[in-house]
Amino acid sequence: MVLFRLHSMQNQIVLGVSNRHVHLSREDLTTLFGLDALTVYRRVRQPGEFAAEQFVKVHGPRTTFEKVRIMGPCRAKSQVELSRTDCIQLGIDAPLTQSGHLQNAGPVEIEGPKGRVRLEHGALVAARHVHMGPGHAAELGVADQELVKIRFGGQRGGVLDNFIIRVKDEWVPEIHLDTDEANALGLHSGDHGELIKG
Amino acid sequence: MVLFRLHSMQNQIVLGVSNRHVHLSREDLTTLFGLDALTVYRRVRQPGEFAAEQFVKVHGPRTTFEKVRIMGPCRAKSQVELSRTDCIQLGIDAPLTQSGHLQNAGPVEIEGPKGRVRLEHGALVAARHVHMGPGHAAELGVADQELVKIRFGGQRGGVLDNFIIRVKDEWVPEIHLDTDEANALGLHSGDHGELIKG
């Protein structure tokens, strides 16, 4: 019974809900803000990552989002992570893909106090994923890039398919959904989901 | 094998995605538009129901939606059906509940060309549901108000819990989701889901 409960608890992973946000390359940060580095507004669960104090405007053909949070630190390439609802409002056709996989990402313009940048391949809807370190992956018997299901409880609960397992040494276990997924399932950051293999 | 395929096809039900919309009482229609009856823009799948040519503004504390479609014909009471994302944008705290169950519905104001109405209990997020007639319910072995699951395919697929079976003589089989749910699962009107009992 104790073993069963331990196993059951290992499969319970905390949820982080990602609102629309932007990652910037250092070059684009300089263009948009005249800054060398972002400043920290609030640290998030993954070590070293943070919500920055800086915001950008995100321009699409149909509307502009006036205040979209930048997440730090800087990355190799800038990208704008949107929900499908955001894409429809902006009038941007963005693919569902893994963060950083920008070859098919949609066109989008971002604006800061010092300048404006057009990203020809910058807008995406992030595919559902689960962050974890190698130790946790070994305990759960899953590997980097494996697809799993996650069960969520509640009145709007259910089992969602095709979460990508993403493993890095420094990461801690965390499920990431966007706001469409969280609102559709009645979920909030800090809720938990149960990982189901296969 | 033929029987199995027949059974499998019976469980496949077409999806209708509900964007935010308004139902009006005849009294509120008169106040807002000076009209006795709505006019038909486009018939929808359920016999006798239609998207009207008329729109209202929906006012919340945080923003206004300028053009929200009215669905006809008129009902006993006015109600505004929103997604959770809509509620957050409007700044309205609306419960997840069945259409027409307005005792806990949230406050909202609606405006037409001739007037404005405040609904103290008018805003809701519609609980997932499946329309059907009595014959189809009998074939599927489900009853009015029973809860079922629905499986959806695709990259963003999954199994959602707690769809309310709703049976009326004139209804045809149709799953209803809101835009959060459809966008979260990558679904569009005309897609199909598989009903799962229990």
Side-chain angles (χ1 to χ4, degrees):
Chain A
M1 188 58 188
V2 169
L3 276 170
F4 170 76
R5 286 175 58 198
L6 184 62
H7 178 70
S8 170
M9 284 172 64
Q10 285 174 336
N11 284 9
Q12 292 288 326
I13 301 176
V14 72
L15 170 68
V17 179
S18 298
N19 202 348
R20 67 179 80 110
H21 64 274
V22 173
H23 299 279
L24 290 183
S25 68
R26 202 160 303 277
E27 181 188 352
D28 289 343
L29 174 65
T30 303
T31 304
L32 298 178
F33 290 91
L35 290 174
D36 289 331
L38 295 159
T39 52
V40 176
Y41 166 67
R42 189 172 57 78
R43 299 205 169 272
V44 296
R45 198 171 278 111
Q46 297 305 324
E49 300 185 12
F50 59 91
E53 290 180 315
Q54 288 76 19
F55 296 93
V56 290
K57 294 184 184 185
V58 173
H59 298 284
R62 293 188 62 189
T63 195
T64 293
F65 293 141
E66 295 289 335
K67 202 173 171 187
V68 179
R69 178 79 70 183
I70 303 172
M71 298 296 292
C74 284
R75 294 197 178 178
K77 289 191 175 176
S78 298
Q79 70 180 42
V80 180
E81 294 187 41
L82 302 167
S83 71
R84 183 61 62 207
T85 298
D86 292 335
C87 292
I88 294 165
Q89 288 183 8
L90 287 167
I92 289 177
D93 186 16
L96 180 71
T97 188
Q98 189 169 332
S99 177
H101 292 209
L102 299 178
Q103 56 275 29
N104 298 314
V108 63
E109 285 191 43
I110 51 180
E111 182 182 351
K114 297 283 175 68
R116 189 161 165 149
V117 171
R118 179 175 170 85
L119 307 171
E120 286 305 327
H121 296 285
L124 62 88
V125 179
R128 299 165 187 161
H129 58 279
V130 186
H131 294 269
M132 63 182 69
H136 199 82
E139 277 175 19
L140 289 167
V142 296
D144 188 49
Q145 298 297 312
E146 186 173 336
L147 298 178
V148 299
K149 301 177 193 289
I150 306 271
R151 184 192 311 276
F152 297 100
Q155 191 184 351
R156 282 196 137 178
V159 178
L160 298 182
D161 300 340
N162 296 329
F163 286 78
I164 306 170
I165 296 286
R166 296 176 58 192
V167 178
K168 271 194 187 169
D169 284 348
E170 61 267 35
W171 280 347
V172 296
E174 184 178 26
I175 299 164
H176 275 180
L177 291 179
D178 70 16
T179 49
D180 282 346
E181 294 167 317
N183 288 338
L185 276 85
L187 298 169
H188 302 89
S189 286
D191 289 344
H192 287 73
E194 179 196 353
L195 186 148
I196 303 168
K197 284 195 61 174
Chain B
M1 188 59 187
V2 168
L3 276 171
F4 170 77
R5 286 175 59 198
L6 183 63
H7 178 68
S8 170
M9 285 173 64
Q10 285 175 335
N11 284 7
Q12 293 288 325
I13 301 176
V14 72
L15 171 68
V17 178
S18 298
N19 203 347
R20 68 179 80 111
H21 64 274
V22 172
H23 298 279
L24 289 183
S25 67
R26 201 161 303 276
E27 182 188 351
D28 289 342
L29 174 65
T30 303
T31 303
L32 298 179
F33 291 89
L35 290 175
D36 288 331
L38 295 160
T39 53
V40 176
Y41 166 67
R42 189 172 57 78
R43 299 209 168 270
V44 296
R45 198 171 278 111
Q46 297 305 323
E49 300 186 12
F50 59 90
E53 290 180 313
Q54 288 77 19
F55 296 93
V56 290
K57 295 184 184 183
V58 173
H59 298 284
R62 294 188 61 190
T63 196
T64 293
F65 293 140
E66 295 289 335
K67 203 174 171 185
V68 179
R69 178 79 70 184
I70 302 172
M71 299 296 292
C74 285
R75 293 198 179 178
K77 288 191 176 178
S78 297
Q79 69 179 43
V80 180
E81 295 187 41
L82 302 167
S83 72
R84 185 61 63 205
T85 298
D86 292 336
C87 291
I88 294 165
Q89 287 183 10
L90 287 168
I92 289 177
D93 186 16
L96 180 71
T97 188
Q98 189 169 332
S99 176
H101 292 208
L102 298 177
Q103 54 275 31
N104 298 314
V108 63
E109 285 192 42
I110 52 180
E111 182 182 352
K114 296 284 175 67
R116 190 162 167 149
V117 170
R118 179 173 172 84
L119 306 170
E120 286 306 325
H121 296 285
L124 62 88
V125 179
R128 298 165 188 161
H129 57 279
V130 187
H131 294 268
M132 63 183 69
H136 199 81
E139 277 175 20
L140 289 167
V142 296
D144 188 50
Q145 298 296 313
E146 185 172 337
L147 297 178
V148 299
K149 302 177 193 288
I150 306 271
R151 184 192 311 278
F152 298 100
Q155 192 184 352
R156 281 196 139 179
V159 178
L160 298 181
D161 301 339
N162 296 330
F163 286 78
I164 305 169
I165 297 285
R166 296 177 58 192
V167 178
K168 271 194 188 170
D169 284 347
E170 63 267 34
W171 280 347
V172 296
E174 185 179 26
I175 299 165
H176 275 180
L177 292 178
D178 70 18
T179 49
D180 282 346
E181 294 167 317
N183 289 337
L185 275 85
L187 298 169
H188 301 89
S189 286
D191 289 344
H192 286 73
E194 179 197 352
L195 186 147
I196 303 168
K197 284 196 60 174

